[in-house]
Amino acid sequence: MAIRTCFFAFLLLLLPLEFIAVMGVTPPLPLPECRPIVAVDRDQVQFALNLEFLEAEFFLYGALGTGLDDIAPSLALGGPPPVGGRKANLDPVIRTIIEEFAYQEIGHLRAITESVGGVPRPRLNISAGAFATLLDQAMNTTLSPPFNPYTNSLNYLLASYVIPYVGLVGYVGTIPNLVGRTNRAVLPIVYRK
């Protein structure tokens, strides 16, 4: 009995197909689906420039009170200057360390640009308000007073930890997807921190 039921179910499925074949009716095509755009290696590595710009600008402003437009303007490729960056109230030792981080980030920008070409710097918000919002959301509370990375060395070091951590997670996710050997090599070189 079960075989007979399965056979009839199969015939019922064939009837609409037979009707379509006999009548010459074609079923409507399905609507186009959203599909991911496959990013080539160059796109993925250039996307990393966004994080490198963020790190470079944050460290340059924090240590020197100025950004890429004064230190290495050719790397910005005409992109808009960051919003809200300012010199942090750092002790001399921390200021020197942050300045070295800034120069390291400039080197990362150069390495990627020389490897796959550059992109214009995006508009970046490195204001105290942006960091206050980030930490409030991360801690699920409103800090009082609001977090300000530019207030002192400790706050700046805390903020300095957040940005490279985001970059590290991004690179760990990107590297396995890279096909080209050269592109696989440039990100680990850039991200030795």
Side-chain angles (χ1 to χ4, degrees), residues 177-190:
N177 297 317
L178 297 176
V179 177
R181 181 183 171 123
T182 304
N183 295 327
R184 281 181 173 248
V186 75
L187 288 184
I189 290 169
V190 165

Side-chain angles (χ1 to χ4, degrees), residues 6 9 42 44 56 76 78 100 110 115 126 150 153 181 184 192:
C6 288
R42 189 181 107 248
Q44 294 182 59
E100 290 298 321
R110 284 191 176 123
S115 173
I126 55 174
Y150 302 106
S153 294
R181 181 183 171 123
R184 281 181 173 248
R192 284 189 194 144

Side-chain angles (χ1 to χ4, degrees), residues 96-111:
T96 302
I97 292 169
I98 298 300
E99 185 178 357
E100 290 298 321
F101 286 171
Y103 297 138
Q104 180 184 24
E105 295 308 324
I106 290 171
H108 294 173
L109 287 168
R110 284 191 176 123

